[in-house]
Amino acid sequence: MSAQAATARPLSTPAARPVRRLRALELPALRRRPRLWYGLIAVAAALGIVGAQMVLSVMTTQSSYELARLNSQHHELTLQKQVLDDELAGLGSPQYLAANAAALGMVVDKTPSYLRLSDGKILGAQKAASSTSAITLGKGSVANELIADTPLVTDPHATIDGNDKQKKTSTTENMTPVPVTDGLPTVRTH
């Protein structure tokens, strides 16, 4: 039955097809250009970042050079302080004070006297010191190299050794170095 029903049915008339007409296409929509301002802002921001990085790099480099200069200056000042401390220690040494006291005419009293502060009484021999007991640096004393060339207070040309400072410097300035004729000097072992 179904085969008969399918053949028995009349075919419907095709629906009216719309008539197609040829027509010109519309102009394609214009593409919007990217905004110029957005590009300029992006380029300016990139240049700003690069510029800031360069400025920070230069400042860091400059501060490192400044730090190195200050460290060098600190080192030099530390060395100067050490030299001044050595000079101060030499000027306060017993040898220098004794030599200046002798240059001023002071003498050592073999029998000292003492003043008692409670009642003002003088205890001791109460004799003046003789000029034969002058302060001297004998052969048994050890030389102090910190003050070897330091002039005495009373005589700027005399040193603690009693030598004239001008004579000492003139003899060392006139010395010529020993010429080396055949290379570096070496110790002879044969």
Side-chain angles (χ1 to χ4, degrees), residues 55-125:
V55 167
L56 288 174
S57 175
V58 167
M59 289 174 59
T60 302
T61 304
Q62 183 180 3
S63 64
S64 66
Y65 283 123
E66 182 72 17
L67 184 62
R69 185 185 66 80
L70 290 175
N71 281 339
S72 173
Q73 185 179 12
H74 179 263
H75 180 69
E76 289 174 14
L77 290 175
T78 302
L79 291 177
Q80 286 179 0
K81 179 189 175 289
Q82 289 175 352
V83 167
L84 291 175
D85 285 344
D86 287 346
E87 287 179 8
L88 183 62
L91 293 176
S93 69
Q95 294 97 342
Y96 187 71
L97 294 175
N100 278 316
L104 290 171
M106 297 180 104
V107 293
V108 176
D109 190 4
K110 303 282 185 196
T111 57
S113 299
Y114 300 99
L115 177 63
R116 188 168 46 199
L117 295 178
S118 62
D119 60 356
K121 187 173 181 180
I122 299 175
L123 304 173

Side-chain angles (χ1 to χ4, degrees), residues 107-190:
V107 293
V108 176
D109 190 4
K110 303 282 185 196
T111 57
S113 299
Y114 300 99
L115 177 63
R116 188 168 46 199
L117 295 178
S118 62
D119 60 356
K121 187 173 181 180
I122 299 175
L123 304 173
Q126 299 180 12
K127 291 192 290 183
S130 64
S131 61
T132 59
S133 61
I135 300 171
T136 58
L137 295 175
K139 291 184 178 182
S141 64
V142 178
N144 188 345
E145 287 298 320
L146 292 175
I147 55 171
D149 295 331
T150 306
L152 297 177
V153 175
T154 57
D155 188 7
H157 300 294
T159 62
I160 191 170
D161 298 333
N163 300 333
D164 193 2
K165 188 176 180 182
Q166 288 179 340
K167 289 179 186 175
K168 193 176 196 180
T169 56
S170 64
T171 57
T172 57
E173 288 175 0
N174 294 336
M175 291 180 60
T176 57
V178 177
V180 178
T181 57
D182 56 307
L184 294 174
T186 58
V187 178
R188 294 188 182 261
T189 57
H190 298 291

Side-chain angles (χ1 to χ4, degrees), residues 19-27:
V19 178
R20 291 188 184 182
R21 293 187 183 170
L22 293 176
R23 60 182 168 96
L25 291 176
E26 295 178 15
L27 289 174

